[in-house]
Amino acid sequence: MKPIIVGTDFSTGSYMALELAIDVANRFQSDIILIWARREKLLFSDEQLNTMTNLAEDKLQMLCDKYQPAMKYGKMRWQITNGKVAPALSTTATRELASMIIIGTNGASGFEKYWIGSQAVRIVQDSPCPVLTVRQGYDFHKKLERIVVPLRVNANSRQKVPPAASMAKIFDSEVHILALLDMKEDEATLKAYVQQSIDYLEKEGVQYQVETREYSSYCDTVMNYCDDIKADLVVINTEQDRIISQIFLGTNAQQIVHRSQIPVLCIHPADYISVAAKV
């Protein structure tokens, strides 16, 4: 089975990501590869770098020893890579043919204070596969019952539906389609998009709900809806093709990654193949 990559900086947020990754891996019946990125030599002396690397090796092995019993099917192993975090995770995911990268979104404290907080968006940009971001404080013991899929009149918007359906089938969740309307002249097109999404979900045997909301702020409307229904996951895309998104992640996606209190599954437009099919 294709592995799941988990980035860690040994902060509380990255531990939350690892615990959620174990749940996902158990359902996918896949391995987990735990990654710590060793920064460039120019930032530290040789002595400092060696000390940090030795500490990281001990911590990584400790995590594998601690969490391996929770792995029902796969194995947990670790790797230390060189260089910046986002390219390191992307390179590993490409080499290992990973199905997903899972990261924490708060690196304000812990082993490396500079690590995830400002890096999450870059990791999403660079990733060759879907990225699941998790904020510290998320209750990973809670069932993943409600998955939100925002839809609007956008060529890539519907590409989020197959990955969301795959996650829903794996976790026995309900998909909540949030139809977002900002201009009345787009209403008929939006309805067509919603119906196409419904047809797909019904074909896949996935339970769903649909709600339409007018919006001026995409991020505020999506986040408010997630709060209203007590959502457990929101699926977004980068709104742009992969080449462009490597330069600049869509503003809406960036805001949701930074603000969401629940996990966010980020899909590049080219990643519309179901998550389950990639495992």
Side-chain angles (χ1 to χ4, degrees):
M1 298 294 180
K2 295 183 179 180
I4 293 170
I5 305 296
V6 180
T8 187
D9 64 343
F10 310 116
S11 66
T12 302
S14 66
Y15 294 152
M16 299 296 296
L18 176 57
E19 290 171 339
L20 180 59
I22 292 170
D23 187 26
V24 175
N26 285 339
R27 295 172 187 271
F28 283 3
Q29 301 185 20
S30 61
D31 293 344
I32 287 177
I33 303 176
L34 196 56
I35 300 294
W36 178 73
R38 178 170 49 201
R39 296 302 296 251
E40 298 92 336
K41 182 178 177 179
L42 60 87
L43 296 177
F44 305 100
S45 68
D46 288 341
E47 182 179 358
Q48 289 174 321
L49 191 59
N50 289 335
T51 299
M52 292 174 63
T53 301
N54 291 336
L55 285 172
E57 289 175 349
D58 291 342
K59 287 174 177 284
L60 289 165
Q61 189 59 53
M62 180 186 67
L63 287 172
C64 288
D65 292 342
K66 177 181 178 179
Y67 287 107
Q68 180 58 54
M71 298 284 288
K72 295 179 180 179
Y73 304 100
K75 301 294 184 182
M76 184 180 298
R77 63 187 190 272
W78 57 266
Q79 294 180 13
I80 291 180
T81 61
N82 294 313
K84 295 182 180 179
V85 176
L89 293 179
S90 175
T91 298
T92 303
T94 300
R95 184 180 65 248
E96 299 287 345
L97 300 177
S99 62
M100 184 182 298
I101 293 174
I102 301 181
I103 57 170
T105 56
N106 68 311
S109 62
F111 195 69
E112 293 182 8
K113 293 183 179 180
Y114 52 75
W115 202 77
I116 281 291
S118 62
Q119 291 285 345
V121 169
R122 182 60 187 271
I123 291 168
V124 172
Q125 290 171 346
D126 288 356
S127 174
C129 59
V131 177
L132 182 60
T133 66
V134 187
R135 184 175 296 277
Q136 180 178 344
Y138 170 71
D139 182 6
F140 65 92
H141 295 294
K142 185 181 184 299
K143 291 183 178 180
L144 199 152
E145 298 176 306
R146 289 171 286 275
I147 299 174
V148 172
V149 181
L151 286 185
R152 56 181 181 158
V153 178
N154 178 296
N156 298 320
S157 188
R158 290 160 292 175
Q159 293 182 355
K160 300 187 292 285
V161 176
S166 294
M167 292 291 285
K169 291 168 72 173
I170 292 168
F171 287 90
D172 192 24
S173 312
E174 183 177 67
V175 171
H176 287 249
I177 298 174
L178 175 61
L180 296 167
L181 182 65
D182 62 342
M183 295 185 294
K184 283 294 184 181
E185 54 264 36
D186 289 335
E187 188 170 6
T189 303
L190 183 61
K191 286 182 177 179
Y193 282 11
V194 170
Q195 188 57 55
Q196 291 168 0
S197 301
I198 289 173
D199 292 343
Y200 183 88
L201 294 173
E202 289 182 343
K203 183 182 69 174
E204 294 296 313
V206 175
Q207 293 184 329
Y208 64 89
Q209 299 286 338
V210 178
E211 181 167 334
T212 300
R213 292 190 179 186
E214 296 183 1
Y215 76 100
S216 56
S217 169
Y218 177 90
C219 184
D220 288 345
T221 305
V222 172
M223 292 293 91
N224 289 339
Y225 180 73
C226 289
D227 289 341
D228 290 346
I229 69 165
K230 295 181 172 56
D232 304 297
L233 175 71
V234 57
V235 182
I236 64 172
N237 62 29
T238 59
E239 303 165 337
Q240 299 159 320
D241 64 58
R242 185 180 299 281
I243 294 175
I244 296 175
S245 71
Q246 287 176 347
I247 301 172
F248 179 72
L249 185 69
T251 301
N252 291 323
Q254 182 173 331
Q255 288 179 356
I256 289 176
V257 167
H258 282 311
R259 289 180 50 184
S260 179
Q261 298 300 308
I262 61 174
V264 180
L265 181 61
C266 303
I267 308 291
H268 290 290
D271 293 335
Y272 62 89
I273 299 175
S274 70
V275 173
K278 300 185 72 174
V279 178

